[in-house]
Amino acid sequence: MTSTERAHIAMFSIAAHGHVNPSIEVVRELVAREHRVSYAIPASFADTVAATGAEPVTYTSTLPTDEDPEAWGTELIDNIEPFLDDAVQVLPQLAAAFAGDEPDLVIHDITAYPAPVLAHRWGVPAVSLWPNLVPWEGYEEEVAEPMFADLKASERGRAYYARFEAWLAENGVDTHPDRFVSRPRKAVVLIPKVLQPNADRVDESVFTFVGACQGERGEQGEWEPPAGAEKVLLVSLGSAFTKQPDFYRACVEAFGGLPGWHVVLQIGKHVGAAELGELPGNIEVHSWVPQLSVLRRADAFVTHGGAGGGQEGLATGTPMVAVPQAVDQFGNADMLASLGVARHLPMADATPGALRAAVLELVGDPEVARRAAEIRLGMAAEGGTARAADLIEAELPAGLRAPSSS
């Protein structure tokens, strides 16, 4: 360090694997560089945070969790209102928790609305850690305005925006809610650039892509294939939208007994193995697996196409069949397919025959293997965790910056 005083960095996120996991290795790296890191998070993720060496600062959240994905509703307004509702009641909790111990720098997940408000209040810089695709120049006109037009014209939508604007104004933030959410001052993008639509139109003075920040994840345990397994297939729909027993049964039918193949089937917490019927000997079923460990040994990956799973598949050079379930996964599936390393198979079309054909075609195509290896090498060059930490340190006040480790 260039100063005897340690920097205090505060990270803010929500209780969701897809938003916590991307930041974990970055936080671990910042702690290793001798910064003091506080991490504001609901208690359900406190142990995960503490394992990095950061200090959990727990708060009570009203957001739906991975345990209850149906609580997010079915309409666009149902998906966005909870974040504002939660932010309003979380802000005073966090203001009190950090009173007298304000950080030198705020870093935060894109869903953690109180974080940039608190940074403004404290007069410190804020850096957004972006775990999925980012807006490009023209995004508002091409995507956001058509998507939000009906919502903004509805009574409920107008009330939402009025409340959001009032909350920001109360806290001295003179920014429209849309820009507050989608246009940060500075962002470290925790996905590879190849997953970004219209990457040539992204403002790289704001958004810097660092690729996957995965770490070794040894604490999650290691998975080893059984003796005699010639090829390995991982099937996982992530952590949230996993209540799909019919899909899992289709996978059992598609890959059960397939010569030379061993299948790791992750089914989440909402489905029991007994619901899948009699299992062939080449299929093992779990509610959770150390995904990265499995992917390092896998020959193919049937995934929901979430940002985390998609980039883990790319980072390990694993061909993918993307069967998206919700939100950004449909666009991710198309992007993965466009890269030449995946097939987008809509859920309605995910029959046993279609699943089997897609996996076998991918694995049998030498061009897929070549492209997957090329992308894997390109991602490694983006810098990952060390680059992310460098960018965050660069935002610290001058007297607190550490020498670059790169």
Side-chain angles (χ1 to χ4, degrees), residues 283-310:
I283 295 183
E284 59 178 270
V285 176
H286 305 274
S287 61
W288 179 88
V289 297
Q291 181 164 286
L292 196 57
S293 178
V294 179
L295 284 174
R296 286 172 178 147
R297 295 158 177 81
D299 298 276
F301 182 21
V302 176
T303 172
H304 61 309

Side-chain angles (χ1 to χ4, degrees), residues 22-23 26 129-132 188-192 208-213 311 384 388:
S23 71
V26 178
L129 302 189
W130 209 283
N132 48 22
V188 176
V189 189
L190 307 177
I191 66 169
T208 304
F209 292 87
V210 299
C213 299
Q311 69 174 351

Side-chain angles (χ1 to χ4, degrees), residues 188-245:
V188 176
V189 189
L190 307 177
I191 66 169
K193 195 171 182 179
V194 292
L195 279 180
Q196 171 63 41
N198 300 304
D200 59 326
R201 288 195 275 152
V202 170
D203 182 355
E204 295 198 29
S205 70
V206 174
F207 299 99
T208 304
F209 292 87
V210 299
C213 299
Q214 294 168 341
E216 291 302 312
R217 299 195 193 167
E219 75 282 358
Q220 294 184 356
E222 293 293 327
W223 181 86
E224 295 287 345
E230 297 172 20
K231 293 189 180 297
V232 171
L233 169 67
L234 172 63
V235 178
S236 171
L237 298 180
S239 58
F241 300 95
T242 60
K243 197 174 183 179
Q244 301 288 354

Side-chain angles (χ1 to χ4, degrees), residues 12 45 58 71 85 100 156 163 242 256 267 270-271 284 291 303 314 358 366 392 400 402 404:
F12 298 77
F45 278 83
T58 59
D85 293 342
R156 187 176 169 192
R163 185 177 177 224
T242 60
I267 60 175
H270 305 293
V271 177
E284 59 178 270
Q291 181 164 286
T303 172
L314 292 176
I392 290 166
L400 297 173
S404 174

